[in-house]
Amino acid sequence: MDLKLKGQRVLVTAASKGIGFGAAKAFLEEGARVVINSSNAKRLNDAKDRLKSIGEIHALPADISLHTEIDKLVDGGISGLGGLDVLVHVTGPPKPGTFLELGYDDWMTGARSLVVGPAYMAKRVAEHMIKAQTKGRMVFLSSYVIREPVPSLALSDVCRISSASLVRTLARELAPRGIRVNGIMPGYIQTDRIDQVVEATARRRGISRAQALAEIESTIPLGRIGTTEELARVI
């Protein structure tokens, strides 16, 4: 199936590994031109090396919880690709922990990463698309914890719900400009975050990691954790 993505200019955040990396790889395989981002320059360059044989790939390190870094990333992506057609916004997982285990600084960091950062990046990208008259697309990745909190992921439980409201707000405001905005709430996907959840569950309940993992898998209709490749096709 031709997804009409050949030549599309795509920016994928948090793409040095996990969901972001999987999304970048899928776009490259469809012929898109891609900029990947991460706050970790070494991991980002490693990811670029793994992807460069597939298609045109650029790497721009930036901390997308800081507005100055977001400016640098968006401007760099526009410059490197000659514009942007697609934004895929992924955030690295915030600090795990129960509500009472987290302090003020943890909440401020989580809010910058999961609430303020995505909104500001959406504004910058939307302004560019409108000015360039690009019929663009934005996809925001959040989490199923929006619907059902996970005990050891209080920051995600509370902050990620803003992503759903951001998507609805942007969809209404930007649709008349020809810009489509969607959100995805992944369930359990095989990333480093799963290891954190399993470890926290095992520790909190006094069971083995294997038991904790088996309990998680028992709640999934397919009986297994999803892969980043599967999620990338949805994106």
Side-chain angles (χ1 to χ4, degrees):
M1 180 185 297
D2 183 0
L3 299 180
K4 308 297 184 183
L5 294 173
K6 186 174 182 179
Q8 289 281 289
R9 301 161 297 182
V10 183
L11 170 60
V12 186
T13 65
S16 66
K17 59 180 181 176
I19 292 171
F21 180 88
K25 183 173 182 288
F27 274 102
L28 285 170
E29 289 171 342
E30 294 294 331
R33 302 164 59 215
V34 179
V35 169
I36 56 173
N37 151 260
S38 171
S39 59
N40 187 308
K42 183 182 184 305
R43 281 207 307 261
L44 185 64
N45 286 328
D46 289 344
K48 180 182 177 181
D49 287 342
R50 292 164 60 193
L51 294 170
K52 64 184 180 183
S53 63
I54 304 174
E56 182 182 342
I57 182 79
H58 306 262
L60 293 175
D63 181 347
I64 59 172
S65 69
L66 304 175
H67 77 278
T68 53
E69 296 280 287
I70 291 172
D71 285 335
K72 182 176 70 174
L73 174 60
V74 173
D75 291 342
I78 293 169
S79 175
L81 297 177
L84 290 175
D85 298 296
V86 180
L87 168 67
V88 179
H89 193 284
V90 185
T91 55
K95 179 180 178 180
T98 63
F99 183 83
L100 292 177
E101 291 172 342
L102 299 168
Y104 179 82
D105 289 341
D106 297 325
W107 286 103
M108 289 300 295
T109 299
R112 285 196 301 270
S113 174
L114 302 178
V115 182
V116 181
Y120 183 67
M121 181 170 290
K123 176 180 172 61
R124 286 297 324 277
V125 172
E127 288 172 342
H128 162 72
M129 289 180 173
I130 291 169
K131 183 178 180 180
Q133 298 185 325
T134 299
K135 306 299 183 184
R137 307 289 182 259
M138 299 187 198
V139 182
F140 291 83
L141 278 291
S142 58
S143 170
Y144 87 101
V145 300
I146 287 176
R147 300 183 64 180
E148 188 62 37
V150 172
S152 59
L153 300 180
L155 277 176
S156 280
D157 297 340
V158 174
C159 294
R160 284 197 186 276
I161 199 166
S162 70
S163 177
S165 294
L166 176 64
V167 166
R168 289 195 293 265
T169 300
L170 291 174
R172 287 179 178 273
E173 290 197 16
L174 299 181
R177 307 276 193 164
I179 301 170
R180 186 160 54 204
V181 184
N182 283 282
I184 300 174
M185 298 185 298
Y188 289 108
I189 301 295
Q190 190 59 60
T191 65
D192 291 346
R193 186 58 146 181
I194 288 297
D195 295 333
Q196 291 181 343
V197 171
V198 169
E199 180 66 33
T201 301
R203 183 177 65 252
R204 189 179 68 255
R205 298 191 47 216
I207 59 178
S208 70
R209 287 175 57 87
Q211 288 174 304
L213 179 60
E215 286 187 2
I216 290 172
E217 291 177 332
S218 71
T219 68
I220 302 172
L222 279 176
R224 64 171 177 80
I225 291 170
T227 69
T228 56
E229 290 80 9
E230 289 169 325
L231 181 56
R233 304 315 298 177
V234 179
I235 297 170

